[in-house]
Amino acid sequence: MVAARPTVTVNGGEATISPAAPHTTVLDFLRERGLTGTKEGCAEGECGACSVLVARPGTDKPTDWVAVNACLVPVASLDGQEIVTSEGLATPGVGGAPATLHPVQEEMAVRGGSQCGYCTPGFVCSMAAEYYRPNRCAYADPAGTADPEHGPNGFDLHALSGNLCRCTGYRPIRDAAFAVGTPAEDDPLAWRRELSPPEPVATEYSQDDRVFLRRSTLTETLRVLRERPGAVVVAGSTDWGVEVNIASRRADWVVAVDRLPELRELRVASDHIEIGAGLTLTEIERRLDGEVPLLAQLFPQFASRLIRNSATLGGNLGTGSPIGDSPPILLALEASVVLADADGEREVPLSDYFTGYRQSVRRPGELIRAVRVPLPLSPVAAFHKIAKRRFDDISSVAVAFALDIEGGIVRKARIGLGGVAATPLRALAAEAALEGEPWTAETVEAAARVLRTQGTPMDDHRASADYRAAMLGQSLLKLYARTTEAVSS
């Protein structure tokens, strides 16, 4: 059943999406309605000035308040959903009295966290999402040392990693984050977490011969993709949203798959873990809770929390980018993708999935339904991302290792690479140089020389070909040093 009049709830009131065009972002939709706290900074999801809260299915409670980049999300994708902006966090005054600031807003104000104010509403929304995180509790470092990334109130500063400020130097913002308490008993947004999240709504919204469509089931969606194989498929829209904003790309048909139940399952079987292609990276991170150590190393280094709250593994693999962060890890894990179309499903090893620059074996009308990671996992695992910034940056080189070392011998080695060829790839020659050999400095140095020759790295503005090759070998030497240090200690 398709809703006849797509609407979205904004700060508790219902707003009709029409007459917005299907590509209209949540940012533009809100600003056109006078909610100008939501700002456009970069239009690429890299500054956080546009951050808003969306009610999503929760991990520890029925509903989570999740911060997302309003500049990337099509408002049509939030048909039937709930949004809270920075204006909606404050409590309106009664009888002419001034509004009461939200605790997050209050702390930002009294601690000098706002100067020019342009980025402040986005910071406030991202901070509020962490404020309402259900399992946030007082943090105590086991070693008894200070942790600059976690406050004594349990606030995780990674929640703000996608928000930029050019004025404050960040210290007052961190002070505000580490000062917020817990929600009051009568806090309406805290109470909202105890209720079910909004159900996904089947949507068919059109303007000027362009259509945004969401079906209720995977079967219905695959029928649409068979009829319109050229349709743009979106989940979190973290890639397509940039194309819309920066390149003025438009599509006659956009098909949303982010809320399909069949793409949102996470199952752990005896011999594999299956991760739905429509689960966001944040949902995967919290539901796996470290069960796959390589993925646990990936999450903090994948873009920002704002992006991870929307981005999916299916989307990261679907773009076919040679510098995507998840493919090297999934290659090292020997993962496969489950591809579905109207005729059925097939499973393809990820090592056979990429065929060329942004190309894959995925056929027209075919969709990534899930990613499968075989069990058991290799006990020695590491992900090295070489980039210009520690967080929220694009890789110059990405290397993932998964090794089985028994009795001092490398029984199995899997190495996934990104940023050194037209596609992500396995370092087969380097794997062969390790397998069956003792895990010694001599073996590793020889294998590192082989690893430096893998792929076809190029010179560009992020790094030179020589630098990329050097980093490949250095990554293996670093893994050996850290592994030896862990064993000796």
Side-chain angles (χ1 to χ4, degrees):
M1 186 69 179
V2 177
R5 191 174 70 99
T7 61
V8 60
T9 299
V10 180
N11 297 334
E14 188 176 86
T16 304
I17 291 174
S18 179
H23 66 267
T24 300
T25 64
V26 172
L27 167 72
D28 289 338
F29 176 81
L30 293 173
R31 290 185 63 82
E32 287 169 3
R33 280 152 183 77
L35 296 170
T36 53
T38 308
K39 302 289 197 297
E40 179 178 297
C42 65
E44 296 182 83
E46 294 185 352
C47 74
C50 64
S51 173
V52 298
L53 297 174
V54 177
R56 291 267 177 84
T59 303
D60 298 298
K61 288 185 178 291
T63 294
D64 280 346
W65 286 111
V66 175
V68 301
N69 291 113
C71 74
L72 299 179
V73 180
V75 67
S77 72
L78 295 184
D79 181 17
Q81 305 300 297
E82 298 175 31
I83 301 172
V84 173
T85 70
S86 57
E87 295 92 342
L89 287 171
T91 302
V94 178
T100 302
L101 291 179
H102 186 275
V104 166
Q105 295 170 322
E106 178 71 23
E107 292 295 346
M108 283 285 281
V110 301
R111 296 179 190 278
S114 177
Q115 289 188 27
C116 82
Y118 194 90
C119 69
T120 305
F123 265 102
V124 162
C125 285
S126 292
M127 199 178 291
E130 177 68 3
Y131 176 77
Y132 288 114
R133 179 164 59 87
N135 58 353
R136 181 173 65 88
C137 57
Y139 178 81
D141 183 17
T145 57
D147 180 350
E149 294 173 2
H150 291 84
N153 58 353
F155 194 102
D156 182 357
L157 276 185
H158 285 282
L160 306 181
S161 65
N163 295 82
L164 301 182
C165 177
R166 298 182 183 274
C167 299
T168 66
Y170 296 108
R171 185 198 53 77
I173 296 173
R174 186 191 67 176
D175 291 347
F178 287 178
V180 296
T182 56
E185 292 185 2
D186 60 348
D187 186 321
L189 295 181
W191 273 105
R192 177 64 187 83
R193 299 175 304 178
E194 308 296 333
L195 306 176
S196 298
E199 291 291 332
V201 174
T203 303
E204 188 166 330
Y205 179 65
S206 62
Q207 285 279 3
D208 301 325
D209 298 324
R210 290 198 169 103
V211 179
F212 183 96
L213 182 142
R214 172 184 279 112
R215 290 290 186 246
S216 299
T217 68
L218 178 60
T219 299
E220 294 174 284
T221 302
L222 293 174
R223 288 196 195 114
V224 171
L225 294 180
R226 165 175 279 180
E227 296 166 2
R228 300 186 179 275
V232 173
V233 177
V234 299
S237 203
T238 54
D239 188 72
W240 174 247
V242 176
E243 294 289 314
V244 169
N245 292 337
I246 304 302
S248 297
R249 291 278 301 277
R250 303 291 182 262
D252 292 335
W253 282 72
V254 174
V255 178
V257 299
D258 56 314
R259 310 315 296 168
L260 291 176
E262 299 92 336
L263 270 64
R264 292 187 47 75
E265 298 176 349
L266 194 154
R267 295 196 296 265
V268 180
S270 60
D271 61 346
H272 72 274
I273 297 174
E274 182 169 298
I275 303 169
L279 287 168
T280 69
L281 297 181
T282 293
E283 290 173 320
I284 298 168
E285 176 185 12
R286 291 175 178 171
R287 290 174 64 173
L288 283 178
D289 194 23
E291 194 167 338
V292 181
L294 257 181
L295 286 175
Q297 292 182 48
L298 163 71
F299 294 129
Q301 300 182 71
F302 191 112
S304 66
R305 176 62 71 191
L306 279 170
I307 292 294
R308 295 196 297 275
N309 285 343
S310 295
T312 64
L313 281 184
N316 204 226
L317 296 175
T319 65
S321 171
I323 53 173
D325 283 340
S326 71
I329 282 178
L330 295 174
L331 284 167
L333 291 171
E334 298 184 278
S336 59
V337 291
V338 179
L339 301 174
D341 63 14
D343 294 322
E345 292 186 352
R346 61 184 178 126
E347 186 174 355
V348 177
L350 190 62
S351 55
D352 298 332
Y353 174 77
F354 301 104
T355 59
Y357 179 71
R358 290 190 177 270
Q359 295 177 337
S360 71
V361 299
R362 190 161 53 91
R363 298 187 288 250
E366 207 166 31
L367 189 68
I368 301 174
R369 184 185 65 76
V371 173
R372 286 181 182 156
V373 176
L375 297 175
L377 302 171
S378 296
V380 177
F383 176 56
H384 297 164
K385 175 174 176 172
I386 295 92
K388 294 183 182 298
R389 295 193 303 265
R390 184 180 174 205
F391 296 118
D392 200 8
D393 200 2
I394 294 173
S395 298
S396 298
V397 180
V399 189
F401 299 97
L403 280 65
D404 290 348
I405 303 173
E406 298 175 6
I409 304 297
V410 181
R411 303 300 180 185
K412 186 174 83 168
R414 296 293 181 265
I415 306 173
L417 307 179
V420 295
T423 69
L425 74 156
R426 283 260 303 276
L428 298 175
E431 292 173 2
L434 287 170
E435 290 184 341
E437 300 294 329
W439 185 241
T440 63
E442 292 75 17
T443 296
V444 171
E445 288 169 3
R449 289 193 291 271
V450 175
L451 186 53
R452 291 188 186 99
T453 68
Q454 303 278 261
T456 54
M458 60 183 289
D459 295 324
D460 64 15
H461 64 285
R462 292 194 182 93
S464 68
D466 288 344
Y467 177 81
R468 287 186 162 103
M471 288 302 98
L472 292 180
Q474 197 65 25
S475 290
L476 183 56
L477 297 176
K478 179 179 178 180
L479 173 68
Y480 176 72
R482 289 191 170 180
T483 303
T484 304
E485 180 181 296
V487 171
S488 62
S489 60

